[in-house]
Amino acid sequence: MNRLIKTNLTLLLIIISMTGYTQKYICKNGETSFFSETPMEDISALNTKVVSLINTEDGSLAVKMNIIDFEFPNKLMQEHFNENYLESEKYPKSVFSGKILEKIDFSKDGKHKVTGQGNIVIHGQAQKVNLEGTLTVNGDQLILEAAYLIKPEDYNIEIPSLVITKIAKEISVKSKFVYNKLS
């Protein structure tokens, strides 16, 4: 079975399994940005159409984004990103499916350091990851923020030798999701 089909099937199963619980939160327009810094060039992009779900009963966490939704300040960079590096027609989505490891009392407002453990799929390649962040409980709203590093080579993203000095070996990624309780 195609990896992309497996990935989408896995995400769908997570979402379906989460619907049996009463404590589900959704974010329909989360943000994920990345920044590559080198002496030759800085590259940044922002995706404001990221969807995420949290199940507070068991800590399940799912994130899904369309690669083509990343917006760059430079349209030529955006074109190269989608066509040459991430191949967004062939690998249109990136997903994370996992769990928040810490036990959080979601009935009390507060800010908590959390670790998300699971699999992230980028460019059709899955990697097990631990992502550290902060989860804020504020009434019926949750805010999850995380910062992490991605290595293009871990996801079989080929960087041509002509531009290798313009793209960092590790890309800084930041995500912010504001969740509301599902009714």
Side-chain angles (χ1 to χ4, degrees), residues 133-147:
T134 304
L135 179 70
T136 303
V137 178
N138 186 11
D140 283 342
Q141 191 174 69
L142 306 177
I143 301 168
L144 179 62
E145 297 177 89

Side-chain angles (χ1 to χ4, degrees), residues 27-111:
C27 174
K28 295 180 183 178
N29 54 357
E31 295 181 359
T32 294
S33 64
F34 68 82
F35 183 71
S36 167
E37 180 180 19
T38 68
M40 298 292 289
E41 187 169 29
D42 292 343
I43 302 169
S44 63
L46 174 65
N47 186 335
T48 59
K49 299 176 182 176
V50 183
V51 176
S52 181
L53 294 167
I54 290 180
N55 179 336
T56 61
E57 295 284 328
D58 64 4
S60 296
L61 174 64
V63 179
K64 181 180 173 185
M65 70 182 80
N66 293 319
I67 297 301
I68 201 156
D69 289 334
F70 277 101
E71 294 185 13
F72 291 69
N74 177 322
K75 292 298 177 190
L76 185 58
M77 281 183 184
Q78 188 164 331
E79 184 179 314
H80 287 172
F81 172 81
N82 283 299
E83 291 177 8
N84 302 335
Y85 303 115
L86 271 284
E87 302 174 277
S88 59
E89 282 189 25
K90 188 175 181 181
Y91 307 106
K93 300 189 183 318
S94 176
V95 297
F96 172 84
S97 59
K99 211 172 182 131
I100 296 172
L101 298 180
E102 293 78 12
K103 296 292 180 200
I104 306 293
D105 184 350
F106 290 95
S107 67
K108 295 181 183 174
D109 288 358
K111 194 172 194 174

